[in-house]
Amino acid sequence: MNDRAKDDLKPITNESGIEVKPLYTAADVEASGGLSMLGQPGEYPFTRGIHRLMYRKQPWTMRQYAGFGNPADTNKRFKYLIANGQTGLNVAFDLPTQIGLDSDDPLAEGEIGRVGMSVDTLRDFEVAFDGIDLNKITVSLTINGAAAILIAMYLAMAEKRGYDVKQLRGTAQNDILKEFIGRGTWIFPVEPSIRLVGDTIEYCAEHAPKYSPVSVCGYHIRESGANPAQEMAYAFCIAKAYADDVIKRGLHVDEFAGRLSYNFNIFGNIFEQVAKFRAGRGLWAKIMKEQYGAEKPGSMWLRMIAAGGGGGLTFEQPEVNIVRGAYYALISALSGTQTMALCSYDEAYTIPTEYSARISLRTMQLLIEEMGLTETVDPLGGSFYVETMTNQMRQKMEEIMAEVDAQGGIVKLVSEGAIQSKVSAQAYKMQRDIESGKFRKVGVNCYRNEKEEEHPVEFHPYNEEDTRVQIAGLDKIRAERDPAKVSQALARLSADASAGRNVMPALVEAVKAYATVGEMTQEMVKIFGRYQEPIRF
């Protein structure tokens, strides 16, 4: 391309702030850092994938996010998805459960079972997972503020059903720092919240070594306004904060790092997204090896669930979200994810119906069965564009992490509300760019149907009967349990929390006594207090 032709082109810069050239050559790869961080799949630095054969040996796990109403309702949806080929479960909890409230708490009114499954006691988990083989279907618990309680509940439920907890696999989201940044379902202040994450990692390292107690979520930071490079960089800063807490307790990094996992977002430019994940794998491996002295390859793996972010979907022309979802799944497969959870086309409106959830599931199955996405490893590897962009994205992430460290670290910045303020400002700017048409969004600010045809979406109703059934079940448990055992377990929880001991053994005891989520939360609030959000302008 001659210089005059180049001069006529409008400059393009991706969301992460990297200029995109009209053509890439081997010289661009070399100028961006060469191929020193490429390696082979399954070998350090794992840029091309954490396993040698990747999907050729085993396709990604399909784990649609699901849960609503009471545990019996959710159990039916779980079994529907499994019957249609889903290979993992991803549990949604209602807001009262997420912030440690019982279903009969006045503050829970109107929210019981609305955005996820309602859980009060161990009995609810027994119902929700009834008839599901936990050795064949791994379960991800999407819970953060109350994660320690729900992890204890899951392990107790599995043990009660006869499973060997030391062999039990599964994941809990349990990333409280991103809750302060992005979602807001916190309970305790920042420092004790990090301590609780450390308690779960330490406990699982000894008692449930194949269980992944934390899935660090760049996903929600991205949904809150971060760009793709910030999404990865902030997630790595957060993971390092958790790792530092556990190492202070005397554990070696190889005793727990292999069970850390990640949850990342996908929407936007295909090549920026693929480069983001390839760069992130190499950078995380480098951090764990060079900064933490990890020796086991598994400790350096960036294991992740990655798929479509709801932030990319649109209210307008909802069927177009089916196509968006298919591209998100394609990006996820090209990026080398271990698990895929695809947002359904109606999620910009409501809880997905069985029909929309099945379309998402079939989309992932199409990639496996018909599109050849599982036939070879890292199919975009070697592209001048992708390798250059991978190097540039890794450099961007390193710059952002260095900036965070220079300002006092991620814990300090989150405590002060600085990260929240930064991503909120970016989200506001993005919304203004969409409204002005500067950022193109099909069906929203271009290619609109001026006379929108009616394409009704089936809204998931709020069911008052679910609330009545849930509260009645809670009353029954309270009447039947041994009050002395409950009191004794809660007293132990309070004492351990106050003394700085790991609270997980006390939580497991309390869960087994059928203490409620609200009761256990209150005992810890008495010791830790409640988080007060800093306000910055």
Side-chain angles (χ1 to χ4, degrees), residues 65-67 74 78 89-93 117 129 139-143:
Y65 188 50
T74 299
F78 287 165
L89 295 176
N90 191 355
V91 186
F93 296 96
M117 173 173 71
F129 298 103
V139 175
S140 176
L141 306 176
T142 305
I143 191 81

Side-chain angles (χ1 to χ4, degrees), residues 345-380:
Y345 79 91
D346 51 359
E347 282 193 54
Y349 296 74
T350 185
I351 291 174
T353 63
E354 287 187 351
Y355 174 69
S356 66
R358 192 172 71 239
I359 289 177
S360 296
L361 196 52
R362 293 288 180 262
T363 300
M364 293 183 278
Q365 291 162 341
L366 274 171
L367 296 185
I368 294 173
E369 303 296 342
E370 298 184 20
M371 299 299 164
L373 268 296
T374 61
E375 293 175 1
T376 194
V377 179
D378 189 29
L380 296 185

Side-chain angles (χ1 to χ4, degrees), residues 202-276:
E202 183 183 40
Y203 182 84
C204 288
E206 180 179 354
H207 298 279
K210 294 186 177 180
Y211 189 83
S212 298
V214 178
S215 181
V216 180
C217 294
Y219 181 102
H220 300 101
I221 303 173
R222 169 80 166 131
E223 294 271 309
S224 300
N227 67 41
Q230 289 171 327
E231 172 193 0
M232 303 294 285
Y234 290 151
F236 292 160
C237 290
I238 288 171
K240 288 179 62 179
Y242 299 149
D244 291 342
D245 179 273
V246 177
I247 288 170
K248 283 180 188 171
R249 302 169 186 232
L251 269 70
H252 187 273
V253 66
D254 282 328
E255 292 183 74
F256 67 88
R259 303 319 301 166
L260 297 178
S261 62
Y262 285 92
N263 180 355
F264 289 121
N265 203 308
I266 290 175
F267 66 84
N269 184 291
I270 287 179
F271 302 102
E272 183 182 11
Q273 297 297 316
V274 172
K276 173 181 81 174

